């Protein structure tokens, strides 16, 4: 009898544990390395690595964009040399619109932007009481090495796996500039910092004016795939 009672208690505890664990995993899908990426879900610990991995699987990347109702569309391949070019070009469209229009990035950057833009709107609402209408950018694809040097590693821009953001035009007409407003101590700077922190939840590399002088006027966002190391930069 005592044995049966013990068995019942242990069984019930186990059942509760399993139910709790399942509920936790459901809430934290994006925090687990083995779950499928969902671009409509709230980003988690492994979202940047999962998005970066899409670079090796353009059809899956495009399918995920479609599934997430992204308005971005495929763009023609561009091959300049062995180190420069892309085969997963994506014309960025949606809310906010990129300015100038016609921004083409790699598919993973388009996926990361989709996730980031939702968080961006929440931050704009919280800090400035408005929404973002336009993303002011300095482009994505550029056949260059890191810091424009003559030799050394190629920039993520050489494969359109990066985008530089200069600022935002808000729905109420005001403009927010990384160069002008980053060092401010009011809500505009708070919004810019939130925008940077939110980008770290979908891009594997985020470099802001806090990183160095070369980034004083823009946020560099990229989806470099660093494999299992999961190394990320958010500065
Ligand atoms: Zn850049």
């Amino acid at each position: 009898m005592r044995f049966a009672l013990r068995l019942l208690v242990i069984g019930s505890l186990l059942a509760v544990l399993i139910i709790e664990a399942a509920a936790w995993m459901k809430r934290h899908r994006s925090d687990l390395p083995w779950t499928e990426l969902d671009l409509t879900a709230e980003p988690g610990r492994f979202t940047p690595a999962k998005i970066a991995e899409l670079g090796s699987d353009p059809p899956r990347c495009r399918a995920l964009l479609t599934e997430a109702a992204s308005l971005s569309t495929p763009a023609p391949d561009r091959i300049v040399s062995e180190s420069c070019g892309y085969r997963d070009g994506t014309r960025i469209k949606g809310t906010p619109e990129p300015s100038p229009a016609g921004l083409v990035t790699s598919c993973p950057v388009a996926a990361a932007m989709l996730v980031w833009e939702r968080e961006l709107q929440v931050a704009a609402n919280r800090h400035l009481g408005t929404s973002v209408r336009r993303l002011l950018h300095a482009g994505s694809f550029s056949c260059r090495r890191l810091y424009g040097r003559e030799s050394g590693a190629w920039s993520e821009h050489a494969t359109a796996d990066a985008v530089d953001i200069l600022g935002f035009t808000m729905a109420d007409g005001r403009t927010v500039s990384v160069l002008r407003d980053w060092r401010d101590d009011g809500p505009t700077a708070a919004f810019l910092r939130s925008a940077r922190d939110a980008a770290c939840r979908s891009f594997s590399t985020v470099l802001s004016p806090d990183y160095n002088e070369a980034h004083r006027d823009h946020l560099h966002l990229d989806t470099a795939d660093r494999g299992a190391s999961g190394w990320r930069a958010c500065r």
Side-chain angles (χ1 to χ4, degrees):
M1 186 60 202
R2 276 181 64 185
F3 177 72
L5 192 64
R6 252 185 229 170
L7 212 62
L8 188 70
V9 169
I10 291 169
S12 312
L13 279 174
L14 266 176
V16 168
L17 249 159
I18 289 166
I19 291 166
E20 281 296 312
W24 185 91
M25 290 209 279
K26 203 173 172 199
R27 279 197 312 274
H28 294 264
R29 284 184 60 81
S30 312
D31 290 320
L32 300 166
W34 59 81
T35 52
E36 285 279 322
L37 174 63
D38 176 359
L39 297 175
T40 63
E42 195 177 322
R45 164 111 181 68
F46 285 92
T47 304
K50 288 176 190 174
I51 288 178
E53 273 173 23
L54 294 175
S56 58
D57 192 351
R60 182 160 169 260
C61 184
R62 291 200 199 290
L64 283 173
L65 284 181
T66 306
E67 222 170 84
S70 163
L71 298 175
S72 299
T73 52
D77 293 354
R78 194 159 164 189
I79 306 296
V80 177
S81 70
E82 208 182 300
S83 311
C84 279
Y86 51 81
R87 293 181 194 279
D88 59 348
T90 308
R91 191 169 297 276
I92 305 296
K93 287 195 189 122
T95 318
E97 281 293 335
S99 175
L103 174 66
V104 172
T105 70
S106 71
C107 188
V109 169
M113 284 177 77
L114 190 67
V115 174
W116 178 49
E117 283 161 6
R118 278 198 312 267
E119 305 220 300
L120 202 55
Q121 298 297 13
V122 174
N125 198 311
R126 185 186 329 129
H127 293 289
L128 304 174
T130 183
S131 59
V132 182
R133 179 171 289 163
R134 289 204 171 80
L135 278 182
L136 310 177
H137 67 89
S140 172
F141 178 66
S142 170
C143 193
R144 65 179 192 242
R145 294 175 197 264
L146 289 178
Y147 295 103
R149 291 180 189 130
E150 290 291 307
S151 60
W154 288 91
S155 160
E156 292 300 319
H157 286 284
T159 46
D161 284 309
V163 63
D164 291 333
I165 303 294
L166 302 171
F168 310 93
T169 304
M170 314 307 285
D172 62 8
R174 73 185 124 160
T175 298
V176 174
S177 148
V178 173
L179 178 64
R180 188 192 58 212
D181 301 317
W182 188 266
R183 311 242 171 251
D184 183 35
D185 52 9
T188 309
F191 162 67
L192 280 173
R193 276 150 217 279
S194 287
R196 187 263 316 269
D197 295 346
C200 298
R201 284 153 59 79
S202 53
F203 289 88
S204 52
T205 313
V206 175
L207 302 175
S208 73
D210 285 351
Y211 178 55
N212 65 13
E213 186 58 16
H215 294 85
R216 70 189 179 283
D217 61 353
H218 70 279
L219 304 176
H220 166 93
L221 316 177
D222 80 47
T223 55
D225 186 358
R226 300 196 176 83
S229 80
W231 185 86
R232 288 161 59 190
C234 176
R235 302 170 68 175

